[in-house]
């Protein structure tokens, strides 16, 4: 097999440049982007709905961009908060990139928006490598996922400015070990704050929103001790048939056949966005 790590690093470097430009443009408009990462089933959509609803109640101009491989279910749920929401259907792509972000925001993001929440694709591997122009990166997990989740996914949790623990109302029922979890977080991201939340009880919803608004007001978010370049390598290997193999480090590598129809090249549109009306 022929390793192409250098190509991947070039792709990430290009994305970083686009993300920096997007961050600067949005800052001029007074918009702070929050990139929310988690695995599927963590409860991030339910929690984000609560945060959006609370923001609307408090008069904070917020919006949300939610990404998924298929269906507009998440956008419909988030739209119940009363905030402007847009769904991005990635058609199989496992993450968002900065150029996609810019394209989806053009002509849609309402003037006066203070916070844009981005619910990334449910995945703790690929999305962790891509800067979306955010000022605050949040890594979330639920108590049902196990205390060692952060050390299993050190890139996602190690580069987070804030860590959110969800479904805390179930902690006792599932025997979740708070001490072991805290040690796992500290191991990959020393000093990062953990916000305990529950979309059912409402625990932590206001605190999470307050942390976001503090960054909007100029507070410097937690800076991970580990440099991004030391964690972000996501090597791909080309298979003998021209496809490529992902080695995510958490299990066996998986192979994707190369299909030009699904690999249009850098800068090409790879996702479809649809607006979801607020009812």
């Amino acid at each position: 097999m022929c390793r192409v790590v250098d190509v991947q690093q070039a792709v990430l470097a290009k994305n970083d440049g686009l993300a920096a430009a997007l961050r600067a443009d949005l800052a001029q408009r007074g918009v702070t982007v929050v990139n929310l990462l988690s695995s599927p089933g963590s409860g991030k959509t339910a929690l984000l709905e609560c945060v959006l609803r609370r923001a609307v109640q408090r008069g904070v101009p917020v919006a949300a961009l939610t990404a998924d491989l298929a269906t507009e279910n998440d956008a419909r749920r988030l739209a119940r908060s009363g905030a402007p929401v847009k769904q991005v259907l990635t058609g199989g792509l496992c993450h968002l990139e900065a150029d996609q972000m810019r394209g989806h925001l053009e002509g849609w993001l309402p003037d006066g928006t203070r916070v844009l929440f981005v619910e990334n694709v449910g995945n703790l591997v690929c999305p962790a490598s891509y800067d979306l122009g955010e000022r605050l990166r949040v890594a979330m997990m639920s108590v049902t996922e196990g205390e060692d989740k952060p050390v299993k996914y050190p890139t996602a949790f190690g580069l987070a400015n804030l860590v959110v623990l969800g479904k805390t109302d179930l902690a006792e029922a599932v025997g979740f070990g708070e001490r072991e979890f805290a040690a796992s977080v500290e191991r990959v991201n020393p000093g990062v704050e953990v916000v305990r939340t529950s979309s059912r009880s409402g625990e932590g919803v206001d605190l999470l929103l307050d942390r976001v608004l503090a960054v909007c007001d100029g507070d410097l978010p937690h800076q991970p001790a580990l440099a991004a370049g030391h964690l972000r390598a996501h090597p791909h290997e080309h298979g003998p048939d021209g496809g490529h193999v992902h080695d995510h480090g958490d299990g066996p590598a998986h192979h994707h056949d190369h299909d030009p129809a699904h690999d249009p090249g850098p800068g090409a549109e790879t996702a479809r966005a649809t607006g979801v009306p607020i009812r």
Side-chain angles (χ1 to χ4, degrees):
M1 293 185 179
C2 177
R3 297 184 67 84
V4 288
V5 176
D6 289 344
V7 173
Q8 180 68 6
Q9 294 301 322
V11 170
L12 292 175
K14 178 181 178 181
N15 182 83
D16 286 349
L18 294 171
L22 179 60
R23 184 163 30 247
D25 290 346
L26 290 174
Q28 289 185 340
R29 297 175 58 181
V31 180
T32 294
V33 176
V34 178
N35 186 4
L36 181 58
L37 286 74
S38 82
S39 57
S42 67
K44 68 178 177 296
T45 303
L47 179 62
L48 182 53
E49 181 184 350
C50 291
V51 172
L52 292 173
R53 180 177 293 110
R54 191 71 186 106
V56 171
Q57 292 171 348
R58 290 170 56 173
V60 180
V62 294
L65 191 70
T66 180
D68 219 335
L69 274 66
T71 83
E72 298 181 0
N73 294 347
D74 288 353
R76 293 190 181 95
R77 290 176 62 186
L78 295 179
R80 297 183 305 200
S81 68
V85 176
K86 189 176 187 180
Q87 178 79 55
V88 177
L89 300 180
T90 67
L93 193 66
C94 61
H95 61 275
L96 288 175
E97 299 180 12
D99 60 340
Q100 297 170 332
M101 278 280 294
R102 180 179 293 278
H104 299 322
L105 295 179
E106 288 179 356
W108 170 76
L109 188 64
D111 291 337
T113 299
R114 189 177 182 194
V115 184
L116 172 65
F117 290 93
V118 179
E119 183 182 16
N120 218 314
V121 179
N123 182 344
L124 283 174
V125 184
C126 299
S129 296
Y130 289 85
D131 184 356
L132 300 182
E134 70 263 23
R135 287 186 61 197
L136 190 67
R137 175 176 289 207
V138 179
M140 179 181 177
M141 62 163 282
S142 70
V143 299
T144 59
E145 296 177 72
E147 299 85 352
D148 60 348
K149 195 81 170 187
V151 294
K152 286 185 174 181
Y153 296 90
T155 305
F157 287 91
L159 294 179
N161 306 112
L162 186 69
V163 172
V164 169
L165 180 64
K167 303 184 182 181
T168 54
D169 53 298
L170 298 177
E172 184 176 356
V174 300
F176 184 75
E178 294 272 1
R179 183 176 300 178
E180 293 84 353
F181 165 71
S184 293
V185 173
E186 186 68 13
R187 179 177 168 185
V188 299
N189 197 339
V192 70
E193 181 181 5
V194 176
V195 177
R196 302 176 81 261
T197 66
S198 169
S199 58
R200 285 188 173 182
S201 70
E203 178 187 8
V205 171
D206 276 295
L207 177 59
L208 178 55
L209 181 57
D210 287 341
R211 292 294 184 266
V212 171
L213 295 179
V215 173
C216 292
D217 290 336
D219 281 7
L220 184 66
H222 165 78
Q223 299 301 303
L226 294 177
H230 294 161
L231 285 173
R232 287 178 26 157
H234 177 197
H236 293 64
E237 294 181 343
H238 283 277
D241 61 352
H244 60 274
V245 178
H246 287 270
D247 182 2
H248 288 165
D250 301 297
H254 57 274
H255 179 269
H256 298 272
D257 291 333
H258 178 74
D259 181 353
H262 296 288
D263 186 15
E269 184 64 29
T270 56
R272 179 173 64 86
T274 56
V276 176
I278 305 297
R279 291 179 173 83

